[in-house]
Amino acid sequence: MAWVVLFVSAAFETVWATALGESDGFTRPGPTLVFAVTIALSLGAFGYVLKHIPISTAYAVWTGTGAALTVLWGMATGAEPVTVLRLVFIAGIVGCVVGLKLVPARPVRPAGPTAGTGAPDATAPTPRRGSQTDPVR
């Protein structure tokens, strides 16, 4: 469900970015209102997403999807030229977004402690400086 909300949030990003451009520096009330409402919806949805998807992945997908949709909208409305290179680069953004969706969000942890190998246990907390377990003071 979080991934669906992430893509909806990116669609709202496209709307607020377009409305921001149309607001003429916040002097046109209609686009300014659309901007204010959709940025609140976009960021609110993105906040929900961050409870379920790591920020590094979520932010890259959110901005990449929003950017690609914004350029596509500009092309569809005639505000931006349609060129082969633009379409290739948008396909690259979409490919990267799909790639981030397909790779695991969190690294796979080892099954148990690495006792006997000389390597530290990856699951053990790191002692804080100045604590009793810190040999360097």
Side-chain angles (χ1 to χ4, degrees):
M1 181 65 177
W3 283 98
V4 172
V5 175
L6 179 59
F7 288 113
V8 169
S9 177
F12 279 127
E13 181 188 9
T14 300
V15 176
W16 71 250
T18 303
L20 178 60
E22 295 291 321
S23 74
D24 196 26
F26 301 116
T27 60
R28 297 181 56 213
T32 299
L33 179 62
V34 170
F35 165 78
V37 169
T38 55
I39 197 168
L41 290 170
S42 180
L43 291 176
F46 189 62
Y48 164 81
V49 166
L50 294 180
K51 292 180 179 180
H52 306 281
I53 300 172
I55 182 88
S56 57
T57 301
Y59 186 70
V61 170
W62 185 67
T63 56
T65 303
L69 289 174
T70 302
V71 173
L72 289 172
W73 178 255
M75 287 187 205
T77 61
E80 305 234 4
V82 179
T83 66
V84 172
L85 280 178
R86 283 178 173 266
L87 294 174
V88 166
F89 291 131
I90 290 170
I93 292 172
V94 171
C96 291
V97 166
V98 170
L100 285 171
K101 167 76 172 93
L102 295 177
V103 297
R106 291 180 173 82
V108 178
R109 287 198 152 166
T114 54
T117 64
D121 181 1
T123 60
T126 305
R128 292 176 33 181
R129 287 222 44 66
S131 69
Q132 291 180 354
T133 59
D134 184 13
V136 179
R137 290 190 199 228

